[in-house]
Amino acid sequence: MEVVIVPDATAGGELIAEAMAALVRRKPDALLGVATGSTPLPIYEALAAKVAAGSVDASRARICQLDEYVGLPAGHPESYRSVVLREVVEPLGLSEASFMGPDGSAEDVQAACVAYDKALAEAGGVDLQLLGIGTDGHIGFNEPCSSIASRTRIKTLTEQTRVDNARFFDGDIEQVPHHVITQGIGTILEARHLVLLATGEGKADAVAATVEGPVASVVPASALQLHPHATVVVDEAAASKLKLADYFRHTYANKPDWQGL
């Protein structure tokens, strides 16, 4: 696992966007896994700016979804399908045909989970998966004590996650669904490159447990320690509980340019 400490969210977004752009230059039809929420927005803004400036051609790139609410219609403004189309697909100038995600409104949700795992495999696998992290260490919607071997499945949200997400539903927790479809930790670990961005002091404990703690299902993000190419990008506030912060800074400062992110 590589840990990169950046000054702020904007710098983190630029760093990750350039890594995504470099991937697309190498592999124009790369499958990019995206996350929702406020944390990754600087990434999408920086990547869209690169596309607009002509520094990268993303016209053949493909986008896939990490998770989805169960029960919200696809056209609901806070369904993750709508959010990804609005914040990623459209700004990159892509068509909806370039996008794939699980069907949270399917009659048979369990079958939709199996179908999504199969679709990701048939697409050649995810080349780069973006991740955020919850205050309790969750990734995707794999809440604490999720199996590290888990596949795409239905999960029940904790009340803390529903409270955290109520801000997207006009502050009304009653509008936040209780259930979601999420890529499982085992599914996430199959991506070729995992990139987690965390910002703010509120994420500091979760980041420290993920990076420096034991691999444990109670901290789902700690499973990134098992991945051969995982990158954790954190701002100074989110890095504030890391005991090895100085070592991580030294390592990144002396990293050869040819290694990339």
Side-chain angles (χ1 to χ4, degrees):
M1 178 187 294
E2 179 181 27
V3 179
V4 182
I5 301 173
V6 295
D8 51 36
T10 300
E14 176 61 33
L15 180 70
I16 296 171
E18 182 51 40
M20 295 174 74
L23 169 61
V24 171
R25 293 182 192 112
R26 296 192 307 270
K27 185 178 182 181
D29 64 345
L31 181 56
L32 306 174
V34 297
T36 53
S38 54
T39 300
L41 290 179
I43 303 171
Y44 306 142
E45 292 167 0
L47 186 58
K50 293 178 186 300
V51 170
S55 66
V56 61
D57 178 4
S59 61
R60 293 173 56 195
R62 298 168 295 158
I63 305 295
C64 66
Q65 205 170 326
L66 182 62
D67 39 38
E68 180 59 276
Y69 286 117
V70 170
L72 291 186
H76 190 287
E78 294 307 323
S79 76
Y80 285 146
R81 181 182 185 88
S82 293
V83 172
V84 170
L85 289 174
R86 185 169 64 242
E87 296 179 351
V88 184
V89 174
E90 293 175 6
L92 293 182
L94 303 176
S95 70
E96 195 165 341
S98 68
F99 169 81
M100 56 193 298
D103 185 357
S105 59
E107 288 189 16
D108 188 338
V109 180
Q110 289 182 317
C113 295
V114 173
Y116 189 51
D117 255 12
K118 182 179 179 182
L120 291 174
E122 291 177 346
V126 180
D127 291 294
L128 185 152
Q129 177 65 58
L130 294 175
L131 298 166
I133 186 171
T135 54
D136 58 3
H138 73 253
I139 50 173
F141 277 120
N142 295 285
E143 300 284 16
C145 291
S146 293
S147 168
I148 291 175
S150 56
R151 309 300 304 176
T152 298
R153 70 212 188 286
I154 307 168
K155 288 292 289 183
T156 301
L157 297 180
T158 65
E159 282 307 289
Q160 183 59 57
T161 297
R162 293 183 70 236
V163 168
D164 290 346
N165 286 4
R167 67 188 189 278
F168 300 113
F169 291 83
D170 298 322
D172 183 2
I173 191 173
E174 296 305 318
Q175 294 186 46
V176 182
H178 284 271
H179 298 95
V180 291
I181 294 175
T182 184
Q183 285 188 37
I185 298 174
T187 306
I188 290 170
L189 290 176
E190 290 179 351
R192 295 178 182 88
H193 186 189
L194 300 178
V195 181
L196 186 152
L197 176 63
T199 57
E201 189 176 357
K203 301 295 178 70
D205 286 324
V207 167
T210 294
V211 173
E212 298 176 340
V215 176
S217 63
V218 74
V219 183
S222 66
L224 270 67
Q225 295 181 34
L226 303 173
H227 197 276
H229 190 191
T231 307
V232 176
V233 179
V234 292
D235 68 359
E236 291 289 349
S240 61
K241 299 292 183 67
L242 289 172
K243 296 178 182 177
L244 297 176
D246 288 342
Y247 172 71
F248 296 138
R249 292 188 182 95
H250 175 78
T251 300
Y252 187 69
N254 291 278
K255 183 177 180 179
D257 291 340
W258 52 264
Q259 277 191 308
L261 185 64

